[in-house]
Amino acid sequence: MEYLEHLGYLGLFLGSFLAATVVPFSADALLVAMLGLGGNVVWTLSVATLGNWLGSLTTYWIGHLGKWDFIEKYFRVKPEKLEKQQATINKYGSWLALFTWLPIVGDVFALALGFYRVNFYKSAAFMLIGKFLRFLFWVILFSKAKVFLGF
């Protein structure tokens, strides 16, 4: 993580991107570190959001490449289970993309949205909204902590 911090906004973008794929990583920590190092709030919020959003879109497309036959054969998942999951995904549709910001399950949501071919444009829009609100929360929290602690 220290290496990414030394890369500035590029490091923030790369780290945020990787954190939204299957790589376990904390984009939140990078965002706070960038703010702590004096990064511009608007740039930091924008770069983290963009990187994390593009990472989730990549995960969506990885899911989109998935095939039922492959999942059944190599992961030994029964067709009934896939059908049950698809029914759940279809019930909530692209609204699930709002929750791709969540740790661990967010990546699974993005993958499932792609795998079950949920509308890409709606999913992408809801992912962007969710990611932005997540990082906006951290920016506000950091700003309040900075004022409270007097630095």
Side-chain angles (χ1 to χ4, degrees), residues 50-78:
L50 181 65
N52 211 244
W53 179 60
L54 290 175
S56 284
L57 293 180
T58 301
T59 302
Y60 174 97
W61 284 110
I62 290 170
H64 197 271
L65 294 173
K67 304 288 183 220
W68 280 53
D69 298 346
F70 180 85
I71 301 294
E72 290 174 16
K73 182 177 180 181
Y74 294 105
F75 291 100
R76 303 200 191 290
V77 177
K78 297 192 182 294

Side-chain angles (χ1 to χ4, degrees), residues 8-124:
Y9 292 114
L10 177 61
L12 176 62
F13 176 84
L14 293 173
S16 296
F17 179 90
L18 291 173
T21 63
V22 293
V23 178
F25 206 76
S26 175
D28 304 321
L30 282 174
L31 176 112
V32 170
M34 180 61 83
L35 291 172
L37 293 170
N40 176 282
V41 173
V42 173
W43 272 100
T44 301
L45 177 61
S46 300
V47 169
T49 300
L50 181 65
N52 211 244
W53 179 60
L54 290 175
S56 284
L57 293 180
T58 301
T59 302
Y60 174 97
W61 284 110
I62 290 170
H64 197 271
L65 294 173
K67 304 288 183 220
W68 280 53
D69 298 346
F70 180 85
I71 301 294
E72 290 174 16
K73 182 177 180 181
Y74 294 105
F75 291 100
R76 303 200 191 290
V77 177
K78 297 192 182 294
E80 298 82 29
K81 185 168 185 172
L82 290 173
E83 290 167 2
K84 184 178 177 185
Q85 288 173 348
Q86 185 175 28
T88 302
I89 297 293
N90 288 341
K91 179 179 178 182
Y92 299 105
S94 53
W95 287 99
L96 282 174
L98 280 172
F99 300 101
T100 58
W101 64 269
L102 290 168
I104 302 166
V105 296
D107 299 337
V108 175
F109 286 158
L111 199 64
L113 289 166
F115 182 75
Y116 292 113
R117 313 294 196 273
V118 175
N119 183 289
F120 172 74
Y121 297 105
K122 286 182 182 178
S123 295

